[in-house]
Amino acid sequence: QEKVRVYISGSVNSNANGWFNFPTFPAPDTKQLNFYLHSQGQAHGFPSDGVLNNQLPMEEPVDCYLYDPSLPTASEVESFKDRRQTEIRADVLTYTTALLTKPITILGEITLVLYAASDAIDTDWFAVLTEVFPDGQSKSFHYAPPAFRARYSEGLDREVFLTPNKPEAFRIPMGPAVHQIAAGHCLRLSLFSSAFPEYDPNSNTGNEAATDTETCVAKQTIYHDAVRPSHVTIPVIELS
């Protein structure tokens, strides 16, 4: 008996872009694929040297950027919007796959495992997945980037502040997505620390957010090596 009905978005000429029925959710035979972050330390540059693939990283330099709460990245006001004007900022890291040789159909909850450090005692991390088209457009296919506040990394019922410059593993739920990335396109992960005005910028001070009038610039460090393999886990199905 088919109990789940979902609309899978995708290219007009693909076998997606329509309604599909499944007996369960997650769908039967769903595979969890890990896409690992790689770079030579210039994922914040333009063009970025950040790479996303299924290979475990070995020894690689870290990626760093400065997050200034007084100059926050903007939140998206609509879905399927080209994000390149945000991605070229020096306070945004991007990691992109090679051109896909076959479509990838995403159906289910996405999770980011991020090995990161900050020189502040509290800060935010955001992550967005986009489909990169042959003309360069980078469009998000599911809205609501996760807002991950470091002080609540162990639950909303208590505050645990960061030890400055100490790398930690953060498991960040990115929410569900139902979309097919077309063959000849790329998948891209963007990392950043603000999405204003949808979310108030984290001041990085650790003070009470409602009354804080101070801010400080935070140096953010992202790790991707054999010991700290940052990756995004994506549920994938085969569409007949």
Side-chain angles (χ1 to χ4, degrees):
Q1 183 180 0
E2 306 296 336
K3 298 181 179 179
V4 181
R5 183 171 172 83
V6 296
Y7 189 91
I8 302 178
S9 55
S11 300
V12 174
N13 298 322
S14 70
N15 62 345
N17 214 40
W19 290 98
F20 293 82
N21 298 315
F22 300 98
T24 60
F25 185 86
D29 302 319
T30 298
K31 295 180 180 179
Q32 301 292 332
L33 297 185
N34 288 339
F35 287 84
Y36 295 93
L37 283 60
H38 302 267
S39 84
Q40 292 303 309
Q42 296 298 317
H44 67 286
F46 181 74
S48 164
D49 74 349
V51 172
L52 205 59
N53 64 32
N54 303 123
Q55 300 173 359
L56 277 164
M58 299 305 291
E59 295 305 314
E60 297 182 5
V62 298
D63 283 305
C64 298
Y65 65 95
L66 297 178
Y67 159 51
D68 185 347
S70 66
L71 297 170
T73 57
S75 57
E76 301 298 328
V77 295
E78 58 186 278
S79 300
F80 298 100
K81 179 182 178 182
D82 187 2
R83 288 180 49 84
R84 283 179 292 180
Q85 289 301 313
T86 298
E87 293 171 352
I88 64 174
R89 289 176 55 128
D91 56 0
V92 178
L93 306 179
T94 58
Y95 302 87
T96 310
T97 66
L99 296 177
L100 299 182
T101 57
K102 63 177 184 179
I104 292 179
T105 306
I106 302 170
L107 175 59
E109 299 280 344
I110 300 170
T111 302
L112 173 65
V113 177
L114 188 67
Y115 291 84
S118 176
D119 65 357
I121 63 171
D122 186 37
T123 195
D124 288 352
W125 279 288
F126 293 82
V128 168
L129 283 173
T130 57
E131 180 174 5
V132 183
F133 291 75
D135 63 0
Q137 291 188 80
S138 178
K139 295 186 176 182
S140 61
F141 48 83
H142 72 119
Y143 189 61
F148 186 84
R149 182 147 293 187
R151 71 168 75 181
Y152 297 121
S153 61
E154 297 186 17
L156 297 176
D157 58 336
R158 53 180 167 161
E159 296 183 353
V160 179
F161 291 99
L162 298 173
T163 299
N165 300 312
K166 178 186 176 182
E168 297 187 37
F170 301 102
R171 187 176 180 86
I172 303 176
M174 292 185 63
V178 186
H179 182 71
Q180 185 182 88
I181 309 295
H185 295 195
C186 302
L187 179 68
R188 175 174 291 162
L189 173 72
S190 299
L191 300 175
F192 43 103
S193 288
S194 57
F196 181 78
E198 185 173 2
Y199 298 91
D200 288 334
N202 193 323
S203 65
N204 300 325
T205 62
N207 298 334
E208 178 62 41
T211 57
D212 196 7
T213 58
E214 303 175 15
T215 63
C216 67
V217 176
K219 181 181 180 181
Q220 319 288 51
T221 303
I222 305 300
Y223 298 81
H224 40 83
D225 54 42
V227 178
R228 294 160 295 204
S230 293
H231 62 277
V232 58
T233 301
I234 299 176
V236 173
I237 64 169
E238 292 287 341
L239 269 190
S240 59

